[in-house]
């Protein structure tokens, strides 16, 4: 149901500016009191709402057919932290063309991060506080907005009163820092609650337009004193967006969770060199000179997976990494030592016969580890590192201390190399592989140039009854899932039917 309401502005002539500001301050104070009072609001960590409704593309000049409504389902969540710094806003809106816009914009620290859940891409940029961008989003929570108005209350002006839906409202106006246009705030004279705020702006396709943000259905709230049960954004009197809130929470885990990037998207923005314990005793490194090796901590020893080395670009003279082939693995070992200072690295697993995966083996010599690889690699690797003991795995070998388990499985002949070992963690259902599966930080998946080895790997998983929850890769900062495997299978079936 859409209520039509009319507004009558009665401007009160006011000759005395300080007195006018005093009146404005009183109105603001009453409104803040109604929401629990300044100190109670400031004592909160966060305020969160989630809700759903619609968005109408016809109203913001994005119609399907000009002149006709274009309403599509819209969901959103907003978490505003009262520290004035952190914030997270997520929206999920049908575009009306069968696709969905699903994004989260958030400020977990001194970064602004945009995560796109459809393309599974993430962008991060550094910001400086105060952030205009962050503060604009925060104003949709009336408690947070009124605190900001209070902090800038010397700029407040009284604009008299107005009637909305037959009720008297006091109107205050403020031009906020970093803003061009003033915002007018309407307070219900009987309840003192913020009924709406509005601005006027040039809107592409519409011209000079009035944008209103209305709060409806105010209800008592145990922590927030009062909270609206819906918000509408209106452009020139038409509902662009209408959202009924299903949850309104103070200091909630839901708000905290909004600041966490979903783990499958973490890889995009995790600083290079970060060592992450992805499960108990299992570590993944985001970027050792461009590689992502893993290591596993057991009771008495460590297992390193891969011995990374940068392979020189031979066309370039002089060869860049000449004399420095141990650099990446030395860095890998240093990362292991940060987390596990004293246990010996008893095993180094080499997935396959390519030098970027084993070329750093000599860096491990002081550790005197045993190299674990496939039978076909024994003589080849032994020539490179005669000092190291090598054990081979024709089919499968499990390393366990009764608590932590890793299965090393030879996938056999495949499009990439004759043999290849994968590491599977059965308790966690995590898998690590080298060059059998790629999930890289561009939005296109699967990479077309990998569509021989990836269908092989997808079919191999199926044939072996493995359905890993996460597929980590030596060349990928993100992990794939069975969703990706199914996509590869579908694509490869379509191709083979052509
Ligand atoms: Zn390879």
């Amino acid at each position: 149901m859409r209520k039509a309401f009319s507004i009558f502005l009665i401007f009160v002539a006011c000759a005395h500016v300080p007195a006018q500001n005093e009146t404005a301050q009183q109105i603001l104070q009453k409104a803040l009191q109604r929401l629990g009072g300044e100190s109670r609001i400031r004592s909160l960590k966060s305020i969160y709402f989630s809700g759903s409704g619609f968005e109408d593309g016809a109203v913001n000049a994005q119609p399907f057919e000009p002149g006709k409504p274009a309403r599509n389902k819209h969901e959103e969540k907003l978490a505003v932290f009262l520290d004035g710094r952190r914030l997270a806003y997520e929206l999920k809106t049908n575009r009306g063309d069968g696709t969905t816009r699903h994004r989260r914009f958030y400020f977990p620290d001194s970064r602004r991060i945009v995560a796109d859940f459809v393309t599974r891409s993430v962008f991060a940029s550094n910001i400086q506080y105060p952030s205009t961008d962050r503060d604009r989003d925060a104003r949709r929570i009336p408690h947070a907005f009124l605190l900001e108005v209070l902090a800038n209350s010397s700029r407040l002006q009284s604009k008299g009163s107005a009637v909305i839906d037959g009720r008297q409202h006091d109107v205050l106006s403020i031009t906020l820092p970093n803003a061009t246009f003033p915002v007018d705030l309407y307070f219900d004279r009987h309840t003192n609650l913020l009924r709406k705020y509005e601005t006027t702006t040039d809107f592409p396709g519409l011209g000079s337009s009035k944008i209103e943000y209305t709060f409806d259905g105010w209800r008592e709230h145990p922590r927030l004193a009062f909270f609206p049960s819906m918000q509408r954004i209106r452009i020139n009197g038409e509902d662009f967006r209408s959202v009924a809130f299903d949850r309104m929470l103070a200091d909630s885990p839901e708000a905290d969770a909004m600041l966490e990037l979903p783990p499958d998207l973490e890889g995009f923005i995790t600083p290079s060199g970060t060592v992450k314990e992805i499960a108990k005793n299992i570590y993944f490194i985001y970027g050792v000179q461009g590689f992502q090796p893993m290591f596993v901590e057991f009771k008495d020893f460590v297992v390193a997976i891969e011995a990374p080395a940068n392979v020189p670009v031979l066309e370039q003279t002089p060869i860049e990494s000449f004399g420095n082939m141990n650099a990446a693995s030395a860095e890998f070992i240093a990362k292991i030592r940060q987390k596990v200072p004293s246990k010996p690295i008893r095993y180094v697993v080499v997935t396959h016969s390519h030098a970027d995966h084993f070329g750093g083996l000599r860096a491990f010599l002081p550790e005197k580890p045993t190299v674990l690889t496939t039978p076909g690699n024994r003589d080849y690797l032994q020539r490179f590192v005669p000092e190291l003991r090598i054990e081979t795995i024709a089919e499968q070998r499990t390393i366990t201390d009764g608590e932590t388990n890793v299965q090393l499985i030879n996938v056999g002949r495949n499009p990439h190399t004759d043999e290849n070992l994968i590491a599977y963690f059965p308790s966690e259902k995590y898998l690590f592989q080298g060059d059998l599966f790629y999930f890289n930080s561009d939005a296109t998946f699967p990479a077309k140039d990998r569509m021989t080895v990836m269908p092989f790997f997808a079919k191999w998983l199926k044939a072996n009854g493995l359905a890993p929850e996460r597929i980590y890769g030596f060349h990928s900062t993100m992990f794939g899932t069975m969703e990706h495997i199914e996509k590869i299978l579908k694509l490869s079936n379509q191709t083979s039917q052509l």
Side-chain angles (χ1 to χ4, degrees):
M1 185 186 76
R2 187 152 34 134
K3 264 191 274 178
F5 61 82
S6 49
I7 300 156
F8 305 96
L9 268 180
I10 306 152
F11 288 96
V12 178
C14 214
H16 201 259
V17 172
Q20 190 202 48
N21 186 266
E22 212 167 284
T23 310
Q25 301 272 4
Q26 283 166 3
I27 293 165
L28 176 64
Q29 280 300 339
K30 277 193 228 163
L32 273 164
Q33 278 308 319
R34 199 62 172 154
L35 302 185
E38 183 194 351
S39 58
R40 183 165 153 190
I41 300 170
R42 283 202 195 284
S43 73
L44 297 172
K45 182 183 166 202
S46 67
I47 303 177
Y48 167 97
F49 72 68
S50 63
S52 59
F54 67 81
E55 184 178 286
D56 189 337
V59 177
N60 67 333
Q62 314 260 353
F64 181 72
E65 193 180 339
K68 303 233 172 105
R71 290 190 174 185
N72 292 297
K73 189 173 163 50
H74 170 83
E75 295 168 46
E76 64 182 15
K77 317 188 244 192
L78 175 65
V80 171
F81 289 76
L82 278 298
D83 60 8
R85 297 173 73 87
R86 293 171 298 160
L87 179 143
Y89 172 57
E90 185 172 325
L91 60 81
K92 192 175 178 183
T93 315
N94 291 352
R95 286 197 183 90
D97 61 0
T99 67
T100 302
R101 189 174 67 215
H102 185 187
R103 289 185 189 146
R104 191 189 295 171
F105 305 85
Y106 57 132
F107 302 81
D109 38 49
S110 57
R111 293 170 300 166
R112 175 180 187 266
I113 299 173
V114 182
D116 189 311
F117 293 94
V118 178
T119 62
R120 299 174 98 91
S121 55
V122 179
F123 302 95
S125 52
N126 289 322
I127 55 153
Q128 287 194 325
Y129 290 103
S131 157
T132 308
D133 206 23
R134 183 260 174 213
D135 293 346
R136 283 185 179 146
D137 284 337
R139 288 171 195 146
R140 292 188 57 211
I141 302 265
H143 302 61
F145 190 14
L146 293 190
L147 279 188
E148 190 194 4
V149 172
L150 181 68
N152 295 284
S153 63
S154 63
R155 298 157 175 255
L156 261 185
Q157 289 191 330
S158 177
K159 278 183 79 174
S161 62
V163 176
I164 305 172
D165 292 345
R167 295 171 74 90
Q168 281 288 334
H169 287 71
D170 290 309
V171 187
L172 304 183
S173 186
I174 189 167
T175 302
L176 291 157
N178 303 324
T180 314
F181 300 103
V183 183
D184 293 343
L185 298 94
Y186 292 69
F187 298 92
D188 188 304
R189 191 168 283 176
H190 295 282
T191 63
N192 298 316
L193 291 165
L194 178 63
R195 173 63 204 275
K196 69 163 185 168
Y197 54 93
E198 68 179 41
T199 57
T200 300
T201 190
D202 267 341
F203 203 98
L206 302 174
S208 176
S209 299
K210 187 171 74 173
I211 321 287
E212 297 165 275
Y213 304 80
T214 71
F215 294 117
D216 299 294
W218 282 90
R219 287 183 199 153
E220 281 193 72
H221 189 286
R223 300 285 310 279
L224 302 164
F226 273 91
F227 205 88
S229 55
M230 72 177 293
Q231 189 189 36
R232 287 181 292 169
I233 301 175
R234 318 185 86 214
I235 304 175
N236 298 325
E238 303 274 345
D239 282 349
F240 160 64
R241 198 183 271 173
S242 175
V243 175
F245 302 143
D246 50 39
R247 314 200 71 184
M248 297 155 270
L249 306 166
D251 297 348
S252 62
E254 285 84 347
D256 295 343
M258 291 274 285
L259 295 178
E260 303 289 329
L261 192 63
D264 62 334
L265 298 183
E266 268 173 17
F268 276 126
I269 52 165
T270 306
S272 183
T274 301
V275 182
K276 178 152 181 151
E277 190 171 8
I278 55 172
K280 192 170 188 292
N281 298 327
I282 303 170
Y283 296 85
F284 180 74
I285 308 185
Y286 292 93
V288 171
Q289 299 199 2
F291 304 112
Q292 278 66 228
M294 287 185 77
F295 64 95
V296 191
E297 182 184 0
F298 291 88
K299 282 198 181 85
D300 304 317
F301 58 88
V302 171
V303 175
I305 306 178
E306 306 285 45
N310 266 303
V311 176
V313 179
L314 288 167
E315 297 87 341
Q316 295 180 350
T317 309
I319 285 169
E320 189 64 35
S321 67
F322 181 71
N324 199 18
M325 70 178 170
N326 290 336
S329 282
E331 197 178 313
F332 178 28
I333 293 166
K335 295 284 180 196
I336 295 173
R337 288 295 168 234
Q338 276 172 21
K339 296 287 175 186
V340 191
S342 55
K343 295 179 189 176
I345 300 172
R346 185 174 295 171
Y347 298 105
V348 182
V349 177
V350 170
T351 60
H352 66 284
S353 58
H354 289 167
D356 50 334
H357 298 254
F358 76 84
L361 273 178
R362 285 184 186 168
F364 288 89
L365 279 174
E367 306 278 335
K368 298 188 172 62
T370 297
V371 177
L372 299 177
T373 190
T374 52
N377 292 342
R378 177 194 282 279
D379 296 346
Y380 178 60
L381 295 188
Q382 198 75 76
R383 273 200 297 279
F384 177 57
V385 279
E387 303 93 326
L388 286 182
R389 181 185 156 82
I390 297 176
E391 291 176 11
T392 61
I393 299 168
E395 287 178 11
Q396 184 175 330
R397 174 166 169 180
T398 299
I399 301 173
T400 179
D401 59 8
E403 191 192 337
T404 304
N405 300 291
V406 59
Q407 294 172 354
L408 303 169
I409 307 169
N410 182 4
V411 307
R413 198 174 180 84
N414 64 83
H416 190 71
T417 46
D418 186 37
E419 301 166 329
N420 197 318
L421 279 184
I422 58 114
Y424 185 66
F425 302 92
S427 316
E428 295 77 12
K429 295 183 91 178
Y430 291 177
L431 187 150
F432 176 89
Q433 52 71 42
D435 291 354
L436 297 170
F437 175 86
Y438 299 85
F439 186 27
N440 285 321
S441 52
D442 54 46
T444 47
F445 177 87
K448 286 195 174 65
D449 60 339
R450 303 294 190 181
M451 277 306 278
T452 53
V453 75
M454 287 210 283
F456 162 85
F457 179 63
K459 286 170 194 160
W460 183 87
L461 284 178
K462 290 273 174 187
N464 287 274
L466 291 178
E469 275 174 21
R470 298 185 184 182
I471 303 165
Y472 286 94
F474 185 64
H475 295 295
S476 308
T477 54
M478 297 171 67
F479 61 81
T481 62
M482 286 307 286
E483 207 182 298
H484 300 99
I485 294 296
E486 297 299 343
K487 190 169 177 180
I488 290 166
L489 288 172
K490 203 171 146 197
L491 283 171
S492 72
N493 287 339
Q494 283 168 359
T495 313
S496 59
Q497 280 163 14
L498 290 176

